[in-house]
Coordinates of all heavy atoms in Angstrom, one line a residue:
E8 N 0.8 -1.2 0.0 CA 0.0 0.0 0.0 C 0.9 1.2 0.0 O 0.5 2.2 -0.6 CB -0.9 0.0 1.2 CG -2.0 -1.0 1.2 CD -2.8 -1.1 2.5 OE1 -2.2 -0.9 3.5 OE2 -4.0 -1.2 2.4
L9 N 1.9 1.2 0.8 CA 2.8 2.4 0.9 C 3.7 2.6 -0.4 O 3.8 3.7 -0.9 CB 3.7 2.3 2.1 CG 4.5 3.5 2.5 CD1 3.6 4.7 2.7 CD2 5.4 3.1 3.7
L10 N 4.3 1.6 -0.9 CA 5.2 1.7 -2.0 C 4.6 1.4 -3.4 O 5.2 1.8 -4.4 CB 6.4 0.7 -1.8 CG 7.2 0.9 -0.6 CD1 8.3 -0.1 -0.5 CD2 7.8 2.4 -0.5
G11 N 3.4 0.9 -3.5 CA 2.7 0.7 -4.7 C 2.7 1.9 -5.6 O 3.0 1.9 -6.8
P12 N 2.2 3.1 -5.1 CA 2.2 4.3 -5.9 C 3.6 4.7 -6.4 O 3.7 5.1 -7.6 CB 1.6 5.4 -5.0 CG 0.8 4.5 -4.0 CD 1.5 3.3 -3.8
L13 N 4.6 4.5 -5.6 CA 5.9 4.9 -6.0 C 6.4 4.0 -7.2 O 7.0 4.3 -8.1 CB 6.9 4.8 -4.9 CG 6.8 5.8 -3.8 CD1 7.7 5.6 -2.6 CD2 7.0 7.2 -4.3
A14 N 6.0 2.7 -7.0 CA 6.4 1.7 -8.0 C 5.7 1.9 -9.3 O 6.3 1.8 -10.4 CB 6.1 0.3 -7.5
A15 N 4.4 2.4 -9.3 CA 3.7 2.7 -10.5 C 4.4 3.9 -11.2 O 4.5 3.7 -12.4 CB 2.3 3.1 -10.1
V16 N 4.7 4.9 -10.5 CA 5.4 6.0 -11.1 C 6.7 5.6 -11.7 O 7.1 6.0 -12.9 CB 5.6 7.2 -10.2 CG1 6.4 8.3 -10.8 CG2 4.2 7.7 -9.8
A17 N 7.5 4.7 -11.0 CA 8.8 4.3 -11.5 C 8.6 3.4 -12.8 O 9.4 3.6 -13.8 CB 9.5 3.5 -10.5
L18 N 7.6 2.6 -12.8 CA 7.3 1.7 -14.0 C 6.9 2.6 -15.2 O 7.4 2.3 -16.3 CB 6.3 0.7 -13.7 CG 6.7 -0.5 -12.8 CD1 5.5 -1.3 -12.4 CD2 7.7 -1.3 -13.6
I19 N 6.1 3.6 -15.0 CA 5.7 4.5 -16.1 C 6.9 5.1 -16.6 O 7.1 5.2 -17.8 CB 4.6 5.5 -15.6 CG1 3.3 4.8 -15.3 CG2 4.4 6.6 -16.7 CD1 2.3 5.6 -14.6
S20 N 7.8 5.6 -15.8 CA 9.0 6.3 -16.2 C 9.9 5.4 -17.0 O 10.6 5.8 -17.9 CB 9.7 7.0 -15.1 OG 10.3 6.0 -14.3
Q21 N 10.0 4.1 -16.6 CA 10.9 3.2 -17.3 C 10.2 2.8 -18.7 O 11.0 2.5 -19.6 CB 11.1 1.9 -16.4 CG 11.9 2.2 -15.2 CD 13.3 2.7 -15.6 OE1 14.0 2.1 -16.4 NE2 13.7 3.9 -15.1
T22 N 8.9 2.6 -18.7 CA 8.3 2.1 -20.0 C 8.0 3.3 -21.0 O 7.7 3.0 -22.1 CB 7.1 1.3 -19.7 OG1 6.1 2.1 -18.9 CG2 7.4 0.0 -18.9
H23 N 8.0 4.5 -20.5 CA 7.7 5.7 -21.3 C 8.8 6.8 -21.0 O 8.5 7.8 -20.6 CB 6.3 6.3 -21.0 CG 5.3 5.3 -21.3 ND1 4.8 4.4 -20.3 CD2 4.5 5.0 -22.4 CE1 3.9 3.6 -20.8 NE2 3.7 4.0 -22.1
P24 N 10.1 6.5 -21.4 CA 11.2 7.4 -21.0 C 11.2 8.7 -21.6 O 11.7 9.6 -21.1 CB 12.4 6.6 -21.4 CG 12.0 5.6 -22.5 CD 10.6 5.3 -22.1
T25 N 10.5 8.9 -22.7 CA 10.4 10.2 -23.4 C 9.2 11.0 -23.0 O 9.1 12.2 -23.4 CB 10.4 10.1 -24.9 OG1 9.3 9.4 -25.3 CG2 11.7 9.4 -25.4
L26 N 8.3 10.5 -22.2 CA 7.1 11.2 -21.8 C 7.5 12.3 -20.8 O 8.1 12.0 -19.8 CB 6.2 10.2 -21.2 CG 4.8 10.7 -20.8 CD1 4.0 11.1 -22.1 CD2 4.0 9.6 -20.1
P27 N 7.1 13.5 -21.0 CA 7.4 14.6 -20.1 C 6.8 14.3 -18.7 O 5.7 13.8 -18.6 CB 6.7 15.8 -20.7 CG 6.6 15.5 -22.2 CD 6.4 14.0 -22.3
A28 N 7.6 14.6 -17.7 CA 7.2 14.3 -16.4 C 6.3 15.4 -15.7 O 6.6 16.6 -15.9 CB 8.4 14.1 -15.5
P29 N 5.3 14.9 -15.1 CA 4.4 15.9 -14.4 C 4.9 16.1 -13.0 O 5.9 15.5 -12.5 CB 3.1 15.2 -14.4 CG 3.5 13.7 -14.2 CD 4.7 13.6 -15.0
S30 N 4.2 17.0 -12.2 CA 4.5 17.0 -10.7 C 3.8 15.8 -10.2 O 2.7 15.4 -10.6 CB 3.8 18.2 -10.1 OG 4.3 19.4 -10.7
V31 N 4.4 15.1 -9.2 CA 3.8 13.9 -8.7 C 3.6 14.1 -7.2 O 4.4 14.6 -6.5 CB 4.8 12.7 -8.9 CG1 4.3 11.5 -8.2 CG2 5.1 12.5 -10.3

């Protein structure tokens, strides 16, 4: 529950490396 959201953001950044980053 605590780390799931961080893992989701990390996976998105790894699978979409050219996607501009938002504020998180």
Side-chain angles (χ1 to χ4, degrees):
E8 289 172 323
L9 187 62
L10 297 179
L13 294 173
V16 172
L18 284 170
I19 291 170
S20 70
Q21 291 299 307
T22 57
H23 300 87
T25 62
L26 188 63
S30 301
V31 177

